[in-house]
Amino acid sequence: MTATNNKRRAALVTGAGRGIGRAIAIMLAEEGYDVALTARGADELSQTAHECEAHGVRALALPADITDPAQLGRVVETCVREFRGLNVLVSNAGSFHWGAADTADPDDWDHLVDLNLKASMRVTRLALPHLLAAEDGAAVLFIASMAGRVAFGMNAAYVASKHGVVGFAGSVFKDVRERGVKVCAICPGLVETSITHDIGADHAKMIQPEDIAEAARYVLRSPSRVCPTEILLQPQRAPWAK
Ligand SMILES: NC(=O)c1ccc[n+]([C@@H]2O[C@H](COP(=O)([O-])OP(=O)(O)OC[C@H]3O[C@@H](n4cnc5c(N)ncnc54)[C@H](OP(=O)(O)O)[C@@H]3O)[C@@H](O)[C@H]2O)c1
């Protein structure tokens, strides 16, 4: 699924302002994809867009809060109109809160589920008709988490939202596999981004955002006969160990 100059391909990345989404956007630009980028912060998005354009592709910065279905709808519509289609969706935007299940603020739970799970489901629903119409294959990459495969304490809503993403991804694959769309849930352990900045773990041992981008590249470069449906990425050395 590598893009070439004579046949343009397009990708939409949520949460592309920084961290994992930014690294994946740059990887996609390296692969020749035109990229539509969304997040709330316009300045970070413009910066990512400039970094993508340096690889000779078009980059659209589309600031939006993707928990608002109307804003999300406009992002997908603009992307598809400007690029005349869509080949790759990267559902990456997400957030994280600490909190014990007995004391957590239910509003924080709502926000995590709205962003990490429901916005991911909505953007997939909006993008799928365009992905299914794409010639030469298409892909949906979910940036889930190791917390989508195992439970951690003090993280109940995050764990629930990411288990939801992994389950959703598996079900979407069953719905679209025969029509040539790859679907993969990428499940990283700790990655050095703003989410993990203050959690007290060893940054030197964390995965880097570019490592996640390489996993995404692997999925896109896989032959059309194969789909890596889940990729688990652990830090080699445990960042919590002293
Ligand atoms: N870092 C880790 O250790 C780790 C591990 C496993 C999985 N993940 C997952 O990886 C994904 C990316 O996380 P990250 O670590 O790269 O975090 P990050 O550096 O905080 O990046 C998150 C991105 O999402 C955007 N975003 C947040 N809320 C949004 C909203 N309501 N609407 C639109 N965009 C929004 C942010 O931009 P704005 O704030 O400007 O909107 C930012 O661009 C998340 O789904 C996270 O759960 C992270």
Side-chain angles (χ1 to χ4, degrees):
M1 287 189 57
T2 304
T4 60
N5 281 338
N6 40 0
K7 186 146 180 95
R8 306 299 307 173
R9 286 177 179 263
L12 169 60
V13 184
T14 71
R18 58 178 183 267
I20 294 168
R22 170 184 166 275
I24 291 177
I26 292 168
M27 177 280 291
L28 288 163
E30 288 168 3
E31 294 285 320
Y33 288 85
D34 294 324
V35 286
L37 312 170
T38 193
R40 292 165 304 177
D43 291 348
E44 285 186 338
L45 269 190
S46 302
Q47 179 58 35
T48 306
H50 287 313
E51 292 176 286
C52 291
E53 284 165 348
H55 295 280
V57 301
R58 283 185 71 197
L60 295 176
L62 304 172
D65 181 342
I66 66 162
T67 61
D68 175 351
Q71 292 185 46
L72 180 58
R74 284 195 290 275
V75 166
V76 177
E77 197 182 295
T78 307
C79 165
V80 169
R81 188 181 62 241
E82 289 294 319
F83 294 150
R84 300 200 179 137
L86 186 64
N87 301 90
V88 174
L89 168 65
V90 182
S91 179
N92 162 76
S95 183
F96 173 86
H97 296 291
W98 289 115
D102 55 331
T103 57
D105 182 339
D107 290 341
D108 289 343
W109 283 5
D110 278 343
H111 173 68
L112 280 186
V113 173
D114 284 350
L115 177 60
N116 295 1
L117 179 57
K118 286 172 68 180
S120 207
M121 293 168 68
R122 279 185 190 278
V123 74
T124 304
R125 175 66 186 87
L126 292 168
L128 271 178
H130 307 288
L131 296 168
L132 287 162
E135 293 170 11
D136 306 330
V140 187
L141 308 181
F142 294 94
I143 306 307
S145 172
M146 201 56 71
R149 296 298 309 275
V150 292
F152 299 98
M154 300 294 289
N155 277 279
Y158 186 77
V159 167
S161 69
K162 293 297 186 178
H163 272 68
V165 170
V166 172
F168 181 70
S171 184
V172 171
F173 177 65
K174 303 241 161 156
D175 289 345
V176 300
R177 63 188 297 181
E178 299 297 341
R179 291 177 280 171
V181 180
K182 293 184 194 299
V183 181
C184 182
I186 297 178
C187 299
L190 290 185
V191 184
E192 189 179 31
T193 69
S194 62
I195 283 189
T196 51
H197 190 66
D198 294 325
I199 62 169
D202 184 344
H203 286 239
K205 293 180 178 173
M206 290 183 193
I207 300 168
Q208 292 302 304
E210 292 72 21
D211 303 328
I212 310 304
E214 287 310 313
R217 194 195 308 266
Y218 167 76
V219 178
L220 298 180
R221 286 191 174 186
S222 296
S224 58
R225 62 182 172 273
V226 64
C227 180
T229 51
E230 283 184 27
I231 299 179
L232 276 61
L233 295 158
Q234 299 261 21
Q236 180 66 43
R237 294 178 294 145
W240 295 109
K242 295 291 174 206

